[in-house]
Amino acid sequence: METLKKFALFCVFCLGALVTVYQSWGVMLMAFPSVIWLHKPLGVIHTNKYIALLLWLVILYLNCLFATAAALTYFFIHVWHLHQQNIPTNYSSRSKRTPRRINPSTGLLMKNRHFDIAGNAYGWKSD
């Protein structure tokens, strides 16, 4: 299956090269397989946002269509990987608090299930 995927990407790249001879949007077809093949090096470059911005500005200066298609492809690949890993999009650092248990007879907080802070027992059955 992996070989078939690589072959299909190569065919799309070749089709883009052929279309580029007559139409300028053929470079967009060449951008999709290029970004998929270079996804790991692009991930390393994107660890620093300034270097990534510089890379995309240089590609944008060289060819606007290629930069647009490559950026969209990289964005969708990144979103797809996040979806596959089931990473939540909101990174809430708040942890859930345990509810406070108050002894109704003394009004003091409970240390554990049966004793409040003063050491008074609560909830024991008298035998």
Side-chain angles (χ1 to χ4, degrees), residues 90-97:
N90 56 349
Y91 298 103
S92 177
S93 62
R94 290 186 281 171
S95 60
K96 292 184 178 180
R97 292 181 57 177

Side-chain angles (χ1 to χ4, degrees), residues 1-8:
M1 189 66 181
E2 197 66 29
T3 306
L4 185 62
K5 179 178 153 185
K6 289 179 183 179
F7 180 71

